[in-house]
Amino acid sequence: MKKILKRVGVISLFGLMMIGLAACGNQQSADNKNSGYNSFISKGLNAVAENKFDKALTYFDNALTQKPKDSKAKAYRDQTQAYLDTQSELKDGEVQKAVTTVTTGTKVTNDAKSLNTKLSNLKEKLVVGNSLNNNIQM
C-alpha cells in the first residue's frame, strides 16, 4: 500500500511540474511576442526619423505579423504607406492624386506624431506648390 501511495505521489508531483513548466513556456512565448512587436515598432519609428520609409514599412509589417489586429501598428503602417504612395505619385506627376493620398494619411487615427508631422509637412508643401502652379498657369 505504501508503494502505491508513493508512486501516486511521485506521478502527481511529476504532473504538477509538467503543468508548471507548460505555463512558464506559454508566458515566455507571450513575452517574446511582445518583445518582437515592440522591437519592430521601435525600429520602424527610428527608420521614419531617418527618412527610410521603405525600411519603416517593413518593420511595421513585421509588427503586424506579431499582433495582426493591433491598431497602432496598422496606423503606423498606413501612414508610412501613404507617405511612400504620395512620393511615388509626385514622381509620376500626379499632383492631385498625391494631395488626396497625403490628406488621407494625415487623417489616420492612433498615428505616430513623427509620421503625422512628416505627412503634414509634405501636405503643406504640396498644397502651396499646387496653388503656386495654378496661379502661374492662369
Side-chain angles (χ1 to χ4, degrees), residues 51 53-54 82-99 101 122 126:
N51 293 321
F53 291 94
D54 287 324
Y83 193 94
L84 288 168
D85 289 347
T86 300
Q87 294 288 10
S88 176
E89 290 161 358
L90 285 173
K91 283 182 184 177
D92 293 341
E94 300 172 327
V95 177
Q96 281 306 119
K97 192 172 181 182
V99 170
T101 302
L122 182 58
L126 277 171

Side-chain angles (χ1 to χ4, degrees), residues 107-123:
K107 292 179 181 178
V108 172
T109 56
N110 291 324
D111 55 356
K113 288 183 181 180
S114 59
L115 277 163
N116 204 28
T117 299
K118 289 184 183 280
L119 282 166
S120 294
N121 289 342
L122 182 58
K123 180 181 176 183

Side-chain angles (χ1 to χ4, degrees), residues 31-137:
D31 289 345
N32 286 343
K33 194 172 191 177
N34 284 335
S35 174
Y37 165 84
N38 290 333
S39 176
F40 288 134
I41 292 292
S42 178
K43 288 177 180 179
L45 291 173
N46 287 339
V48 167
E50 297 170 2
N51 293 321
K52 296 179 179 175
F53 291 94
D54 287 324
K55 201 173 195 179
L57 187 64
T58 300
Y59 286 126
F60 297 140
D61 281 339
N62 288 337
L64 283 168
T65 63
Q66 297 288 309
K67 292 185 176 182
K69 296 182 181 179
D70 186 70
S71 60
K72 180 170 70 169
K74 183 163 176 17
Y76 292 1
R77 191 223 178 277
D78 290 348
Q79 283 191 305
T80 303
Q81 187 65 59
Y83 193 94
L84 288 168
D85 289 347
T86 300
Q87 294 288 10
S88 176
E89 290 161 358
L90 285 173
K91 283 182 184 177
D92 293 341
E94 300 172 327
V95 177
Q96 281 306 119
K97 192 172 181 182
V99 170
T100 301
T101 302
V102 76
T103 300
T104 301
T106 59
K107 292 179 181 178
V108 172
T109 56
N110 291 324
D111 55 356
K113 288 183 181 180
S114 59
L115 277 163
N116 204 28
T117 299
K118 289 184 183 280
L119 282 166
S120 294
N121 289 342
L122 182 58
K123 180 181 176 183
E124 187 176 313
K125 288 177 186 176
L126 277 171
V127 170
V128 169
N130 200 24
S131 293
L132 288 173
N133 192 27
N134 288 340
N135 287 338
I136 290 171
Q137 290 178 353

Side-chain angles (χ1 to χ4, degrees), residues 13-27:
L13 182 61
F14 182 72
L16 288 173
M17 286 176 31
M18 294 305 288
I19 291 171
L21 288 173
C24 288
N26 287 341
Q27 180 62 41

